[in-house]
Amino acid sequence: MKKMTLIFLFVLSISIFASVLNPFGNYTNPGLVLEQNFYLAGANFYFDLFFKQDLLTIKDLNILLNQGILNLNNIKKISFYSSVNSSAYGTFKLGGFAVSPFFNVDGNLGLFIPDEIKNFILNKDIEIDKTYKYQLDDRKRFLLANSFSNIGLTINVGKIFIAPYFYVPILYTPVKNDQQTLYFKYTSSSSPAKIYFNLDSKASIYSILPLDQISSDNFDLNNFINSLDTNDLGISLSLGYNSDNFGFSINNVKIKPSTAKYRTTLTMLATLTYEASNLDISPNFDATTTLENFQENGISVFEVPNISAYLQTSGKTINLGVRGNYVLDETNLNWKAGLFVNGNFKILYPYYFIDYINPAKAFVHTIGSEFDIHIIYLNVNLKLISHDISPFSANSFGLSFSFGFGI
């Protein structure tokens, strides 16, 4: 009898169409915690890494590694963008009611050197006795840091969910641009022969962590944890609806801001001077990048609200779908959209996603598969990232995996 029961449960489990959409990541929808096909309870883990660079194409990178040659003329942009998401969550079900405690760390880090500076650096026709200069526009940033840690609870009632949670900023650069400055100036003369180049940039970075201590021998984790004040915790919630074919989530609904207690300044300086008189030549170059001005100067920080949604078919063998996310900030530029197809081959669910991540100006091709036998699942994929839609021009990478077990 026990053997027949196990066979029945196995057959039932592989007949269910598994979803390859994840509750966390670029398209957050906490209601999807129920998409794992556990009957009563389960534990789940998720990790996603995304990295994009515009400095080198894959062809130029191969030449650099194999021949040691770098063609500066092929550099289109000097920018880097990375995203990391790590989550752990449990699921407890009782009929149409479920609760899912979760812990999530979600972060973005980007460095964007303006094209005006890049063009100057790579310009072969710099004129003598001419001044070149640039100052960062008030509407732009060269450094993006947006990393938060969340802990909360998703409550599902049927297909409707609500997910209140606490959050703290790990690394944060304000949207207001008055806390970032970038300036460069180049002047030269032929008589006397002189060159002067100066690059000066500063960006304020805030955190719940004492950034000057965490890398030192004096940092005491226990004392830091004991010093945390519950008043520094922010409170937000997500709410929405999810089903096999359609779902949406309104995320980071503002309730209470968190406090980033610590502030530091990232300073990047580069200076080049050159003077020549007859045979007397005096070149000098100096470049430094430092974190300085550590202080307790807290600011209130809200996670920016965003809306995610998906729409998919429910075929027996092949599923097609679309998904999107829009961040409700002042830039109107922070959005993502994608198409996907996934298959149902009993215990194996291969899939392909193509997404456009606008903050990174990148197309992301994701190829992966999920292995699911109901009591345990494993999902692994690789990402090819490029500045145009062709995966063959990809010069960056990413990967993600998730797994879980339950009954």
Side-chain angles (χ1 to χ4, degrees):
M1 183 65 181
K2 291 182 178 179
K3 183 176 181 181
M4 292 298 296
T5 301
L6 289 174
I7 292 175
F8 172 77
L9 290 176
F10 180 76
V11 172
L12 179 62
S13 69
I14 65 175
S15 66
I16 298 173
F17 194 96
S19 172
V20 295
L21 298 176
N22 198 279
F24 301 101
N26 280 323
Y27 300 91
T28 299
N29 186 322
L32 289 171
V33 294
L34 292 185
E35 290 304 305
Q36 277 69 49
N37 297 313
F38 303 136
Y39 294 124
L40 298 176
N44 309 267
F45 305 90
Y46 171 73
F47 176 82
D48 180 87
L49 171 65
F50 171 105
F51 175 78
K52 177 177 182 283
Q53 59 85 26
D54 292 300
L55 196 62
L56 300 173
T57 66
I58 191 65
K59 179 180 178 180
D60 292 326
L61 184 60
N62 286 333
I63 294 175
L64 176 63
L65 295 176
N66 295 324
Q67 304 178 24
I69 299 173
L70 175 60
N71 189 344
L72 297 179
N73 293 326
N74 291 343
I75 295 177
K76 294 181 173 61
K77 285 184 175 294
I78 304 178
S79 67
F80 304 89
Y81 181 89
S82 63
S83 173
V84 176
N85 187 286
S86 180
S87 307
Y89 55 98
T91 307
F92 305 91
K93 300 180 182 180
L94 184 61
F97 176 78
V99 293
S100 301
F102 65 85
F103 173 76
N104 172 246
V105 176
D106 186 15
N108 301 289
L109 184 64
L111 178 65
F112 311 95
I113 301 302
D115 288 342
E116 291 85 351
I117 297 179
K118 183 267 296 183
N119 293 336
F120 171 80
I121 294 174
L122 302 180
N123 187 2
K124 295 181 179 179
D125 301 316
I126 298 175
E127 298 181 23
I128 300 176
D129 298 318
K130 182 177 179 180
T131 297
Y132 298 83
K133 59 183 179 179
Y134 171 82
Q135 185 168 350
L136 188 71
D137 190 283
D138 290 340
R139 296 167 296 177
K140 297 180 180 179
R141 288 184 292 175
F142 73 91
L143 178 68
L144 167 67
N146 188 27
S147 178
F148 288 85
S149 179
N150 309 316
I151 184 169
L153 184 71
T154 302
I155 302 171
N156 288 74
V157 180
K159 299 182 182 302
I160 299 174
F161 73 87
I162 185 170
Y165 57 89
F166 298 103
Y167 66 94
V168 292
I170 300 174
L171 289 176
Y172 176 75
T173 52
V175 175
K176 293 182 178 180
N177 304 102
D178 57 359
Q179 302 207 39
Q180 291 197 21
T181 60
L182 189 152
Y183 175 79
F184 97 91
K185 182 178 181 180
Y186 173 89
T187 60
S188 63
S189 65
S190 56
S191 181
K194 288 185 178 181
I195 291 176
Y196 173 77
F197 173 83
N198 175 252
L199 174 67
D200 186 347
S201 61
K202 291 181 173 63
S204 298
I205 303 175
Y206 294 84
S207 178
I208 192 69
L209 303 170
L211 298 175
D212 58 332
Q213 300 178 26
I214 56 177
S215 61
S216 70
D217 295 334
N218 298 325
F219 180 63
D220 189 318
L221 180 61
N222 290 329
N223 287 341
F224 168 70
I225 294 175
N226 292 332
S227 69
L228 289 176
D229 192 331
T230 55
N231 290 326
D232 296 333
L233 298 175
I235 303 175
S236 287
L237 63 83
S238 297
L239 53 92
Y241 171 91
N242 65 283
S243 67
D244 291 340
N245 302 110
F246 170 71
F248 71 90
S249 180
I250 304 173
N251 304 307
N252 303 336
V253 176
K254 297 179 180 180
I255 297 178
K256 176 184 175 296
S258 61
T259 301
K261 296 176 62 175
Y262 301 96
R263 175 184 175 178
T264 186
T265 301
L266 174 68
T267 301
M268 295 187 293
L269 296 173
T271 303
L272 169 67
T273 59
Y274 173 92
E275 293 186 21
S277 178
N278 296 323
L279 297 178
D280 185 14
I281 300 175
S282 301
N284 183 58
F285 176 73
D286 184 52
T288 59
T289 301
T290 59
L291 286 176
E292 56 187 10
N293 298 327
F294 295 97
Q295 55 186 291
E296 289 192 35
N297 185 9
I299 61 170
S300 295
V301 178
F302 274 114
E303 284 194 275
V304 182
N306 66 82
I307 301 173
S308 288
Y310 67 87
L311 179 67
Q312 62 181 345
T313 62
S314 55
K316 293 183 179 181
T317 304
I318 300 294
N319 242 9
L320 302 174
V322 297
R323 60 182 183 172
N325 176 274
Y326 184 78
V327 178
L328 303 174
D329 61 16
E330 297 176 355
T331 67
N332 296 319
L333 298 174
N334 198 342
W335 56 269
K336 314 167 188 74
L339 306 172
F340 61 88
V341 56
N342 56 55
N344 177 9
F345 300 100
K346 301 306 181 182
I347 63 175
L348 196 64
Y349 304 89
Y351 56 88
Y352 167 74
F353 295 161
I354 178 171
D355 297 284
Y356 183 73
I357 311 297
N358 193 58
K361 306 301 181 193
F363 288 91
V364 182
H365 300 265
T366 303
I367 303 172
S369 184
E370 181 173 303
F371 174 77
D372 189 344
I373 57 172
H374 183 73
I375 60 173
I376 188 171
Y377 73 91
L378 174 65
N379 187 338
V380 179
N381 67 56
L382 295 175
K383 308 176 194 298
L384 299 175
I385 304 168
S386 60
H387 64 276
D388 58 41
I389 197 169
S390 172
F392 301 105
S393 62
N395 63 344
S396 303
F397 69 93
L399 61 88
S400 69
F401 62 86
S402 59
F403 65 93
F405 52 87
I407 54 175

